[in-house]
Amino acid sequence: MELNDLRIFQVVAYEKSISKAASKLGYAQSNITMRIKLLENKLNTTLFIRNNKGTIITSNGEKLLKYADKILEIIDEVNEEFLPTQIDSKLKIGATQTISASILPKLFTLFYKEILQHI
């Protein structure tokens, strides 16, 4: 069992929808479905009942969700303890005057737009 599968399972459980979980996690819906099926096969149980209105967690799914919440909370605590939340570094870019005037402004604009999409 992989941690990422537990995270996917947890998001599906709380969102009550594979499509909402896929959107929230930035994954394809088919990937979410496949990971849930693999987890169900690994645990030899059904975790969700799927219908056209979303997903309904089963009693075994509820049991796993309690474990997943505990496990992922501990993993998040470890990450907060040991991984910096912000990168405190600088990037220096060297370029000729022509490139600085013609190409870099376009690249910075694209970079800035990309950053804004993820905020």
Side-chain angles (χ1 to χ4, degrees), residues 19-20 25 43 49 57 60 62 67 74 83 88 94 100 103:
S19 61
K20 286 180 184 176
L25 293 168
L43 298 174
I49 298 169
I57 195 164
N60 281 337
E62 289 284 353
Y67 287 112
I74 291 169
L83 298 176
D88 190 26
S100 295
I103 296 174

Side-chain angles (χ1 to χ4, degrees), residues 103-117:
I103 296 174
L104 285 182
K106 294 174 191 172
L107 291 175
F108 287 138
T109 301
L110 291 171
F111 178 75
Y112 184 71
K113 286 180 183 176
E114 184 69 24
I115 294 288
L116 288 179
Q117 289 178 354

Side-chain angles (χ1 to χ4, degrees), residues 7 10 71-81:
R7 181 87 58 197
Q10 183 187 49
I71 292 166
L72 294 170
E73 181 180 349
I74 291 169
I75 294 298
D76 289 343
E77 287 175 12
V78 169
N79 286 335
E80 286 175 20
E81 181 72 26

Side-chain angles (χ1 to χ4, degrees), residues 28-69:
Q29 200 170 333
S30 59
N31 187 36
I32 299 288
T33 301
M34 180 187 70
R35 300 310 306 177
I36 294 295
K37 285 181 182 178
L38 287 171
L39 191 57
E40 289 176 328
N41 289 339
K42 180 86 171 172
L43 298 174
N44 197 30
T45 191
T46 301
L47 300 171
F48 296 104
I49 298 169
R50 296 149 182 89
N51 61 38
N52 59 354
K53 294 182 181 180
T55 58
I56 301 167
I57 195 164
T58 64
S59 61
N60 281 337
E62 289 284 353
K63 289 178 192 176
L64 179 61
L65 184 58
K66 288 177 186 178
Y67 287 112
D69 287 344

